[in-house]
Amino acid sequence: MTSTRENGLPSKEAGLFKQIVKHYETKQYKKGIKAADTVLKKFPDHGETLSMKGLILNCVDRKAEAYELVRKGVKMDIKSHVCWHVYGLLYRSDREYLQAIKCYRGALRHDPDNMQILRDLSMLQVQMRDLEGFVQTRQHLLTLKPTNKNNWFTFAVAAHLMNRYDKAVNIVKAHEDTLEGTPENDYEHSEMLLYKNMLLEEDGQLQEALDHLESCEKDIVDRLFWLEKRAQLLRQLNRHADAEPLYRQLLKRNPEHVGYHAGLQACVLGAGRAIENWMPEEVDEATEAKLKVLYAELQHHHPKSTVCRRLPLDFARDGAHFRIACKTYILPPLRKGVPSLFADLKPLYRSKPKAEVLGAILEEWLKSLEADGKLPGESRHEMPTVIMWVRALLAQHYDQVGESARALAQIDLAIQHTPTLLDLYMLKARMYKHAGALLQASECMNLARQMDLADRYINTKATRYMLRANQVDEAQKTIALFTKDGDQKSNLFDMQCMWYELEIGQAYCRLARTDASHYGRALKQFTSVDKHFTDIIEDQFDFHTYCIRKMTLRAYVNMLRMEDTVHGHAYYVRAAMGAIEVYIALVDKPKQDAAAAAAADESQMSAGERKKLESKKRKAEAKAKAEAEEAKAKAAVAAKAEKGAKGNKGKPDKPVDEDPEGAALASVDDPLEKASVFLRTLQQHAPKNLRTHTLACALALRKKRYLLALRALRRAVALAPADPDVHTATVEFLLEMDKEAAILPPTIARVLEANRAAIGAPPGKSLEELNKAFLLKAEGAPAAVLAAAALQLQIAPAQKDAAKALVTSLDPSKLSLALAVRAHTLLATSFGDAAAAEAFGAKVRARYPLADYFQPPEVLSQGIQDGKGASE
Amino acid sequence: MAPKKKGGDSPKAEPAAGAAAGPAADAMVDGEADDDEEEVEQGNKRDGADVSKVTDFVEQKELDSAKASKALASITAADEVDRAAERERERELAAVVIDQADVVMIATEMELDKDVAERTLREHKGDVVAALNTLVAA
C-alpha cells in the first residue's frame, strides 16, 4: 500500500524503501541500514524511512537510537500509519503493551482498514485482556475478510471470553454451514466440533451438548476424550444407567484414574455429584454398603489396581470394614518396601477414629512380628525388611499424631535394623522438624544426603532443611552442587526455581530480625518470584496466534483462564506476602528503634551518652550506606569485566544484575507504596486468603488510609468473623481510630460510624467489652486467648496482671509449638516479665523437649557447633 | 499490500510446537506471521509440500458471506439495544452535580483513579458518604 506518491519519494528511493522493508523482514539488518542511509542522504526528513531505520536498529540492540529515530519519524510524518505502526512495534518489543496499543490506534486513525495493524492490535488487546476491544477489533477483521477461517475462530474465542456463548456458538455454526464435503483435516475438524461442544456445555445446555457429541461421533479423533465427555454429560443429566457402562469401559482402559472412579461411584449411588475424596462425615450407612459391594467387585476385576484398594479406606466408616480395607491396601506395598506408603495414608488422619485404628493395627503387627516374625493371622514368615518398614510406618504414625518422642524412638530402632537406608534418616529429620528441633533436623537430613551424593532429591531436601534452620551459607553451597557449573548465582533464577527463592527469602526474613541488612536479600528473592510470574503472563503472547492457527481452541481458552488466575498460585501469594511484610518491617523498624532508644534514654542514659550513641548510630548508618554504594560499584565493575570477557568469546551478553544483594530494593523511599503494588495483586487474585486482608489492613493503617483499612476489615470479617487475627486487626484499628478521632475529617468519621456494625463493633460497645465477648465466645481456644490477652494489655494497660494471667494459665500440653512460642514472646516482650516467661518456657520444655526455641542458650549454641561439625 | 513490518519472513520459520520455547525476541517475530492466507499460500507453492506439513495449513474455502452477514447482523442488533441503554445511563450520570473536592477525597482515600472515583460519586447522586460506604463494602 505504500505507493510512491503516498510516502512522497521518487521512484528510485521508493524502490530503495521497499528494499529496506524486505531487508528487515529477512533479518538482513546491515543491508537495511545501508539502504535507509542512502535514502536519508537525499531526504533526511523522510518519516517512514527514519522509522524503518529505527526499527532495524532496535533489532541490533541500539535501543536508544531506535527510539530517537522512530519518534523523529512520527514527528516528520504524523499522518503516516507506517510510522505509527513502527512506533507500536517498538513498544511491543519492549513489552510496553499499553503504549503499543496507543500507537496502533494512532496508525488506524490514518488507515482504519489495515488488516496487519488490526491483527497486531487485537493480539495486544487479548494479551492485556481488553476483551471488549478485542471483540470489536476481531469483528472488524472478520467483516473485512470473512473468507479467512482464522478470523472466524478468533472472533468466536473473543465472544467466548466475554461469556457470550450464544454468540460464539452462532459464529462456529456459521462457519460450519459453509463447509462442504469431507473435511480436509480430520484433526482440526474434530477440534472444531469439540470446541463447539465445550461452548454448549459451558452455556449449561447439557442436553444439546450431549446430542451434539453423539451426532458427531465419527468425526472425533480424540476417542478417549469423547468417551469421557459422553460419560460425564450422561451422568450430569442423571442418566446414571447409561453412564455406568461407559465408566466401566473407561476403568478397563485405566483402573487408576480417580476421576473415573468418582464418576462410577456417582452412577452406582445415583448421586448428582461425583466425589473424588470422601470426607468421613459425608458417608452414610447405605452409601458405604453400596460402595463396599462395588469395590469388592472392582478389586476382583482389577487385581493389580492400587486405586481400587485405596479408595475403600476413604469411604469406610465402620471400624471392622476399615480394618480389612487397611490390611488389603497396606500389605502389598509394605512387603515390597515402598518408602512413600505413608504419604498415601496421611489424608486419613483428618478422621480421628481412623487414625486411632491405623495406629492400633500397626502396633499389633509390630508386636506379632517381634514375637514370631509373622503377621497376625498369617502362617508364613515375613521377610526381615517387613518389620523395619512397619517400624518406619509406626514412627510416622506417632509423628503425625504429635508424639515426637515415641516417633524418634521407633525410627531409631528401624535405623538400627538397617543403618544404610537413607529414607529412614529423611524420616527422622522430618520428625525432628515437627518436634521443633530444626538444627538437628537439618543435620540429620544432611547425613542422609551424604549417603547418596548423586541424588538430586535428597540434595534439595537437605537444602530446604538448612534454610529452615537459617543456615543460609550451607544451603547455598549445597544447592550449588546441582546447578550448572559457572553460573550458580543466576542459574537458579533462570530455572525459575521458586521453592528455593521462597525458602531462602523467608530464611533472610527470620535473620533480619536481628540483622536488618538481610531485608534487602529477602526482598531480592521475593521480587525474583514476582518476576517469574510476570514472565509466565508474558509467555502466553505467542500462543494467541499459534493456537488459533492450530485449532487447539479448547486448550487455548483453558490456558487463558489459567493465566488469569496464575497470580493466585501459592508461590506468588507467599512471595507477595513476604515482600509486604518486609516493607512493613522496614517502615516499623526505625520507629521501634527510636522508641527503644527513648525508653533507654528515660531510664538511665545521660545527655552526653545519648549524643554519643546517636552519632555512633549515624556513623554506622552512613557506613552501611557507603558500603552498599561501594558494593554496587564493585558489582558494576565486575559485571563490565565479565561482559568484556564474554564479548571476546562472542557469547551473548546477559543483562547484569546491578543489585545482587537487594540493598537498593530495601532502601526505596516509599516502601509502603511498593508493598501496595503487591497487595493489589493479592486482593485481585487471592481474595479468599484471610492474610491478604489482614495485611491490607496493616498496610492501610500505616498509610493512614483508614477507609481502606475499614474495607480490608470488612472483607476479613466476612471471611472469618471469629478468627483471632481478624479480631486483633479490628481492635487495633479501633484503637487507632480513637486516637485519631479528634483530627478525623467528618466525612470519614461518618463512614466509619456507618460501618462499625459490619466489622462486629457496633457503636456504643467499648473495646474492653468487645474483647471480653470475643474471649468468652472462643471458649479457651489458645490462639484466641493469646490474642485477647495481647489486646487487653493495649486497651487497658492498668489491668496488666489480669491479662498476663490469661497467658500463664494456658496449658502447654494443649498448645501447638508455634502458639507456645507466641505465648512465650508475648510474656517476655509485651508484658516484659522475664521470670514469668522463663517459668512458662520450662513448662513448654516438658512438652516439647527438643524444640530449639525453648532450649537454654548454652545448649543451643553447643548444638549449632555440633551441627557445623557434622556438616563439614 | 502493507509493508510487512514484522518480518514474518516465511512460514517455515514458525515454530512447529511450543512457540514460546524460543528466545523471546525470535518468537515475537516468528509467532506473528499469523494467518495471512496469501502469504502462506505463496509459501506453499514456493517451498513445496514440506512447508505445508510444517504449518498444517489447509487452503480455505470461501465462506458463504450471505449466511455470515446474517449471523453478524443478529449479533450487532442485540448489541445495539445494550448500547442504547448504556448511553441513556451515561446521560443521566452526566447530569449529576458533584463537588470536585469530593472526587479528590474519594480518589485519595480509596486509592482509585479519578475517573472511577467520579463515576462512583455520580452513581450515588453526588452523596460522598454513600459513595464511600459502597466502596468500603466492596
Side-chain angles (χ1 to χ4, degrees):
Chain A
M1 39 99 236
T2 1
S3 69
T4 336
R5 252 159 283 124
E6 268 179 38
N7 67 9
L9 287 175
S11 62
K12 188 181 157 218
E13 275 72 20
L16 269 173
F17 182 78
K18 270 187 195 153
Q19 288 221 319
I20 302 173
V21 175
K22 200 163 183 191
H23 287 317
Y24 168 70
E25 281 167 13
T26 49
K27 297 187 181 171
Q28 292 178 301
Y29 299 132
K30 271 188 190 158
K31 283 188 189 168
I33 296 174
K34 215 169 152 193
D37 284 338
T38 321
V39 178
L40 289 175
K41 210 183 249 172
K42 248 186 168 172
F43 300 96
D45 289 339
H46 186 248
E48 294 185 0
T49 312
L50 285 167
S51 296
M52 279 310 295
K53 189 184 170 191
L55 189 58
I56 295 175
L57 286 178
N58 183 47
C59 295
V60 294
D61 237 8
R62 288 159 67 181
K63 284 229 178 285
E65 287 171 77
Y67 272 98
E68 196 180 317
L69 277 172
V70 172
R71 280 190 188 124
K72 192 173 167 199
V74 176
K75 217 195 253 167
M76 287 301 153
D77 196 351
I78 202 153
K79 283 196 174 154
S80 157
H81 64 88
V82 176
C83 291
W84 280 106
H85 192 187
V86 168
Y87 201 13
L89 289 170
L90 199 58
Y91 273 126
R92 194 186 68 181
S93 74
D94 283 336
R95 298 181 175 185
E96 294 206 38
Y97 295 145
L98 288 175
Q99 291 296 336
I101 287 179
K102 279 185 201 158
C103 294
Y104 287 154
R105 290 216 179 279
L108 287 171
R109 259 201 302 279
H110 305 294
D111 189 1
D113 290 343
N114 186 318
M115 300 220 293
Q116 186 73 60
I117 301 176
L118 281 168
R119 257 199 305 265
D120 282 356
L121 173 65
S122 74
M123 292 305 109
L124 292 183
Q125 283 170 327
V126 65
Q127 174 78 9
M128 301 306 291
R129 298 294 191 277
D130 170 12
L131 295 179
E132 253 165 72
F134 184 51
V135 171
Q136 278 169 17
T137 314
R138 291 317 308 195
Q139 185 161 2
H140 191 168
L141 271 167
L142 181 60
T143 40
L144 283 178
K145 196 164 182 182
T147 52
N148 186 322
K149 186 179 78 174
N150 294 343
N151 280 349
W152 281 90
F153 286 106
T154 321
F155 186 41
V157 169
H160 187 184
L161 292 176
M162 295 277 286
N163 294 332
R164 298 286 303 270
Y165 297 103
D166 49 340
K167 191 166 166 178
V169 171
N170 279 342
I171 297 162
V172 177
K173 252 188 208 148
H175 176 263
E176 217 177 345
D177 289 346
T178 62
L179 297 174
E180 286 161 17
T182 48
E184 293 99 338
N185 184 318
D186 287 345
Y187 174 74
E188 287 185 4
H189 185 65
S190 155
E191 275 300 310
M192 184 194 80
L193 293 170
L194 288 177
Y195 179 63
K196 188 175 163 192
N197 197 258
M198 177 188 191
L199 288 170
L200 289 171
E201 189 198 334
E202 286 188 4
D203 196 20
Q205 306 185 38
L206 298 183
Q207 186 59 51
E208 283 78 1
L210 181 64
D211 295 344
H212 172 251
L213 198 67
E214 285 173 348
S215 73
C216 57
E217 177 181 1
K218 63 176 182 14
D219 291 322
I220 303 297
V221 191
D222 188 346
R223 300 297 304 159
L224 180 62
F225 183 85
W226 187 85
L227 262 176
E228 286 174 351
K229 188 51 76 182
R230 180 149 175 259
Q232 178 213 323
L233 288 171
L234 281 169
R235 181 176 60 69
Q236 285 175 328
L237 287 163
N238 286 326
R239 286 168 58 183
H240 293 121
D242 296 321
E244 191 181 325
L246 288 179
Y247 278 116
R248 286 186 188 272
Q249 196 184 335
L250 284 165
L251 276 176
K252 214 172 265 174
R253 280 176 171 239
N254 179 5
E256 312 288 2
H257 194 298
V258 187
Y260 299 164
H261 280 276
L264 179 59
Q265 287 173 14
C267 292
V268 170
L269 297 170
R273 193 160 70 93
I275 298 171
E276 286 186 11
N277 293 308
W278 287 96
M279 298 295 281
E281 57 275 10
E282 283 173 335
V283 191
D284 59 32
E285 215 163 309
T287 309
E288 189 194 13
K290 275 189 201 160
L291 291 177
K292 197 173 167 184
V293 176
L294 173 66
Y295 274 84
E297 180 207 328
L298 284 176
Q299 283 172 9
H300 177 71
H301 282 304
H302 308 287
K304 284 189 175 169
S305 159
T306 324
V307 173
C308 288
R309 287 194 301 271
R310 172 65 179 80
L311 290 179
L313 296 188
D314 284 341
F315 61 73
R317 52 199 288 283
D318 168 56
H321 178 195
F322 182 66
R323 262 176 174 272
I324 297 170
C326 270
K327 206 170 163 185
T328 324
Y329 175 66
I330 300 177
L331 267 186
L334 181 73
R335 286 181 170 139
K336 207 171 164 190
V338 176
S340 60
L341 177 56
F342 190 78
D344 208 10
L345 298 172
K346 220 163 143 184
L348 297 171
Y349 282 79
R350 281 182 303 203
S351 152
K352 211 171 174 202
K354 282 187 183 177
E356 277 164 12
V357 174
L358 263 176
I361 294 177
L362 291 170
E363 276 168 0
E364 215 171 276
W365 287 0
L366 180 60
K367 217 167 166 190
S368 164
L369 284 168
E370 276 174 336
D372 58 0
K374 292 178 197 165
L375 286 170
E378 304 267 330
S379 54
R380 66 161 167 167
H381 281 276
E382 298 294 333
M383 298 265 287
T385 50
V386 171
I387 189 168
M388 186 262 302
W389 285 116
V390 170
R391 283 191 197 285
L393 273 184
L394 191 56
Q396 290 175 87
H397 164 79
Y398 288 143
D399 185 42
Q400 184 69 32
V401 296
E403 296 186 36
S404 295
R406 290 175 84 181
L408 283 164
Q410 205 52 250
I411 200 76
D412 277 337
L413 286 173
I415 290 176
Q416 242 171 46
H417 183 285
T418 312
T420 49
L421 187 63
L422 68 85
D423 298 273
L424 298 176
Y425 295 87
M426 288 172 60
L427 295 177
K428 190 176 174 186
R430 180 176 295 147
M431 286 156 198
Y432 274 132
K433 182 181 78 177
H434 292 161
L438 298 177
L439 292 168
Q440 274 161 295
S442 152
E443 192 185 321
C444 188
M445 195 56 96
N446 199 35
L447 204 65
R449 180 185 74 81
Q450 283 161 339
M451 293 169 79
D452 187 354
L453 292 171
D455 186 339
R456 181 194 282 266
Y457 174 75
I458 185 96
N459 194 70
T460 299
K461 274 278 178 201
T463 307
R464 198 184 187 109
Y465 273 61
M466 288 169 181
L467 289 172
R468 287 280 165 91
N470 296 347
Q471 298 163 324
V472 174
D473 295 340
E474 288 93 326
Q476 281 173 330
K477 276 182 212 147
T478 310
I479 191 83
L481 296 172
F482 274 84
T483 49
K484 227 165 76 190
D485 273 341
D487 54 326
Q488 264 86 358
K489 275 252 163 79
S490 62
N491 191 242
L492 290 162
F493 177 81
D494 294 339
M495 302 307 287
Q496 303 190 331
C497 189
M498 290 194 259
W499 73 262
Y500 174 76
E501 287 166 337
L502 286 170
E503 288 292 344
I504 196 169
Q506 278 161 346
Y508 280 133
C509 277
R510 289 188 294 267
L511 290 171
R513 277 175 213 152
T514 46
D515 175 3
S517 74
H518 289 301
Y519 278 129
R521 299 193 182 95
L523 273 182
K524 181 84 191 167
Q525 302 298 333
F526 295 142
T527 38
S528 291
V529 175
D530 182 44
K531 276 186 195 141
H532 298 323
F533 276 89
T534 312
D535 282 345
I536 293 171
I537 293 286
E538 187 57 43
D539 285 343
Q540 61 181 316
F541 195 91
D542 303 314
F543 289 97
H544 299 314
T545 48
Y546 183 77
C547 289
I548 302 281
R549 208 171 55 235
K550 292 286 178 192
M551 279 295 277
T552 51
L553 301 175
R554 288 177 301 148
Y556 175 55
V557 171
N558 286 334
M559 186 269 294
L560 292 180
R561 287 178 180 162
M562 184 278 285
E563 295 279 1
D564 281 343
T565 53
V566 75
H567 277 98
H569 188 275
Y571 278 178
Y572 181 82
V573 173
R574 267 171 72 190
M577 289 183 171
I580 292 172
E581 276 171 10
V582 171
Y583 282 124
I584 288 182
L586 285 174
V587 173
D588 288 355
K589 188 96 173 102
K591 277 188 216 156
Q592 282 165 3
D593 289 351
D601 183 35
E602 252 173 49
S603 57
Q604 42 191 289
M605 226 181 284
S606 72
E609 269 176 299
R610 192 184 60 203
K611 254 185 199 161
K612 230 188 249 167
L613 193 79
E614 263 174 16
S615 81
K616 213 173 163 186
K617 208 169 122 194
R618 241 175 289 147
K619 267 184 203 158
E621 267 168 20
K623 200 180 154 202
K625 215 171 190 181
E627 266 171 13
E629 299 264 311
E630 201 182 326
K632 210 168 154 185
K634 253 189 208 162
V637 170
K640 246 183 208 166
E642 204 178 329
K643 213 172 171 181
K646 271 193 182 164
N648 290 341
K649 279 184 224 152
K651 276 185 190 167
D653 287 343
K654 246 189 198 167
V656 190
D657 189 351
E658 286 183 352
D659 185 25
E661 298 287 322
L665 284 171
S667 56
V668 287
D669 299 330
D670 51 349
L672 291 178
E673 244 351 279
K674 290 273 181 299
S676 301
V677 176
F678 280 105
L679 181 72
R680 277 191 278 271
T681 321
L682 284 182
Q683 284 175 324
Q684 198 182 343
H685 293 279
K688 294 232 163 72
N689 193 321
L690 194 60
R691 263 174 63 75
T692 298
H693 305 302
T694 47
L695 280 174
C697 182
L699 205 54
L701 278 184
R702 283 168 180 77
K703 289 165 86 176
K704 301 202 182 295
R705 294 272 175 263
Y706 300 121
L707 294 183
L708 284 179
L710 187 60
R711 185 179 71 182
L713 280 176
R714 282 198 61 160
R715 289 175 181 173
V717 169
L719 274 181
D723 189 276
D725 289 339
V726 177
H727 174 67
T728 307
T730 310
V731 173
E732 282 178 351
F733 170 75
L734 293 171
L735 275 170
E736 180 91 7
M737 287 301 90
D738 286 348
K739 257 189 258 165
E740 301 278 325
I743 52 165
L744 220 51
T747 317
I748 293 183
R750 278 173 62 198
V751 178
L752 183 64
E753 276 314 297
N755 283 283
R756 278 186 76 118
I759 54 170
K765 205 169 180 183
S766 78
L767 286 178
E768 210 163 346
E769 284 167 352
L770 204 65
N771 202 27
K772 283 236 169 72
F774 172 77
L775 190 60
L776 214 65
K777 218 174 170 186
E779 292 172 346
V785 173
L786 281 179
L791 291 171
Q792 187 65 35
L793 184 66
Q794 288 186 54
I795 298 168
Q799 299 166 22
K800 192 171 172 179
D801 290 337
K804 196 179 356 178
L806 280 175
V807 183
T808 47
S809 64
L810 282 172
D811 178 3
S813 65
K814 293 213 174 87
L815 288 179
S816 73
L817 188 53
L819 282 177
V821 171
R822 203 191 296 171
H824 184 267
T825 8
L826 199 62
L827 286 172
T829 54
S830 303
F831 288 101
D833 188 342
E838 180 43 44
F840 185 78
K843 275 200 277 176
V844 178
R845 201 150 46 236
R847 168 70 182 86
Y848 296 103
L850 290 170
D852 294 337
Y853 182 86
F854 291 105
Q855 299 302 321
E858 62 277 5
V859 175
L860 198 60
S861 63
Q862 185 70 32
I864 292 171
Q865 276 165 11
D866 286 353
K868 272 193 178 152
S871 70
E872 269 159 22
Chain B
M1 259 309 291
K4 280 208 49 175
K5 285 294 133 60
K6 25 158 199 127
D9 17 24
S10 95
K12 211 162 41 171
E14 283 171 44
D26 280 356
M28 189 82 83
V29 173
D30 292 340
E32 264 299 308
D34 209 350
D35 40 12
D36 201 320
E37 249 179 298
E38 283 138 9
E39 276 293 313
V40 182
E41 273 165 34
Q42 276 170 18
N44 288 354
K45 278 173 207 150
R46 259 204 315 271
D47 299 308
D50 294 1
V51 176
S52 80
K53 258 184 207 155
V54 171
T55 59
D56 277 348
F57 198 91
V58 181
E59 200 180 325
Q60 201 60 55
K61 286 209 175 82
E62 285 282 318
L63 299 178
D64 186 334
S65 45
K67 278 179 196 163
S69 17
K70 218 166 91 187
L72 283 179
S74 71
I75 295 155
T76 30
D79 284 353
E80 198 46 48
V81 178
D82 293 350
R83 248 178 245 149
E86 207 174 291
R87 270 199 295 273
E88 180 57 30
R89 176 95 179 119
E90 290 300 322
R91 253 199 301 277
E92 273 173 33
L93 286 181
V96 175
V97 183
I98 53 162
D99 184 350
Q100 277 304 317
D102 288 343
V103 174
V104 174
M105 163 133 186
I106 296 175
T108 19
E109 286 300 325
M110 300 307 292
E111 295 186 350
L112 292 172
D113 275 347
K114 265 196 176 172
D115 298 345
V116 184
E118 184 172 329
R119 196 182 163 87
T120 320
L121 190 58
R122 284 183 189 280
E123 278 168 358
H124 290 85
K125 301 195 168 66
D127 180 347
V128 63
V129 174
L132 283 172
N133 272 334
T134 308
L135 287 170
V136 164

